[in-house]
Amino acid sequence: MTTIRARRRPSRARSLAAASALALLLGACTVSDPEAPATGGGGEGGGGTFSIAVGIDPDTFDPAGQTTTTVQNIVDYVVETLVVFDENDELVGNLAETFEISEDGRIVTLGLQDGVVFHDGTPFDAEAVKFNLERIIDPALTVPLGSPFEVIESVTPVDDTTVEIALSRPSPGFLSALSVTTAGMISPASVTAEGNTNLEYQRPVGTGPYTFGEYTAGESVTVQKFPDYWGEEPFYDTVVFRIVPEAATRESLLLSGQVDMMILPPVSDIEALQANEDVEVLLAESDRTIFIALDTNDPLLSDPQVRQALNHAVDKQAIVDNVLFGAAEVMDAPMAPSLFGYCQTGTYDYDPERARQLLAEAGAEGASLELLTPSGRYVQDQQAAEAIAGYLREVGLDVSVSTSDFPSFLARVNAAPSENTVDMHLLGWAPPFLDADFQMQMFRQATHPPAGLATSFYTNPQVEELLAQADVETDEARREQLYCDASQVIWDDAPWIFLWTQSFPIVWSADVTGISATPTEKFSAVYARPAS
């Protein structure tokens, strides 16, 4: 058996003096207006409000229902996972102190933190782990990112702090998958409390440093510090996520001191923001690929020749340079270079004549297509969609562009095929851990909507076979080659217009510190605090 003793996260060290200071601060810094200008509270014990401007309205607060990193970032304040990746991208323990894998790779044994409680006061223990893992493999529950957990055969509590997970086969990515918000631990009692049901779970109760507070659709989400948190105590009592779809408005709120931090500023302003001493700018690496998903069930788009034509029709580099102001790299494979399993696969050079030729050979000249795009979810998403539509019109296609709020957008693209299925939609995909396994979910039949987010409905038996081999291959070099071989087939089949991997810009007030990001496009601001 391979035994890995996970590194403990830092524990809290609260002194009576600090507690007294905190009590005084709580009396002095009560926050009743979630849109009030950000305040650092004060004193060594912390306090006050930290405010973050995000671009989208959450579609669900259920960890099991997550599809979007921004929403996961919010849920992560409340709900914790068994393991996490540290700042060196190494897997370490969180709610699980230790994890062991049997020699045959089919038994995972977790040693849990002792003394941890959920926000409702119930204990976090082996029974809670069993409840949560069985919940995310329950066919009655929609779990869009649930495929890595389908290998779970059984979950057995050995004692209060030990859990044994039996897998149906060796799964090289299983432990990493336990770090994903989807596998976050919620209180079993909470699924029937405060209006929650197992299938409609919207007030999460976890073990995290903050408790879920208030949510006003289209306006804000508020979380409050949990006084009995088992780990390191954060500084701020309250964190407010303000929902601001327009990038320019988010920027104005930051520069006027009404929020402490924002994600995805107008990329045209990044250079000016970098020169502004009042703010800090981070252009974080991201594993997010941005693409146009093509409905391969559509009679026109089912033809690979048409899909290849669309790839040749769009000058991606020009859009990166002129619309995204350089904040991206054009894709040369169906995944980001930061993922295990990446290999450079090919290019679709900008060649409008070639595009017209392929469309003519396929009998698709002058075809009409609808392109749906979110607004404010990705860097310059709507602007990029308009530019892409322009290039497609130049090769003779009739393309209309529409947009909607993000929950409505997701509801439409993450649905089973119907007459309402859109021809094309702009989408981004950021694997929650740096492995091709999660990226390849976008090209597997098992994850076609509504089971998952493979929204182009693409399938190819050769790809399915290569990925099935990779699922159980424990030799890293062999597994990497299998992903490379699958990438080549996918690239030639072109179920997407392959666009770019975007940067993840974050900007915050120079008056605060302790903010960073991960390559999985999540910001880390739980331990933000005043810079001085």
Side-chain angles (χ1 to χ4, degrees), residues 299-316:
L300 179 74
L301 296 173
S302 63
D303 186 341
Q305 200 169 17
V306 173
R307 303 196 299 261
Q308 292 164 358
L310 301 186
N311 269 281
H312 282 297
V314 178
D315 190 343
K316 296 109 174 178

Side-chain angles (χ1 to χ4, degrees), residues 153-172:
E153 204 165 58
S154 65
V155 184
T156 305
V158 177
D159 56 39
D160 284 350
T161 58
T162 309
V163 182
E164 197 171 86
I165 306 168
L167 307 181
S168 58
R169 56 170 173 76
S171 176

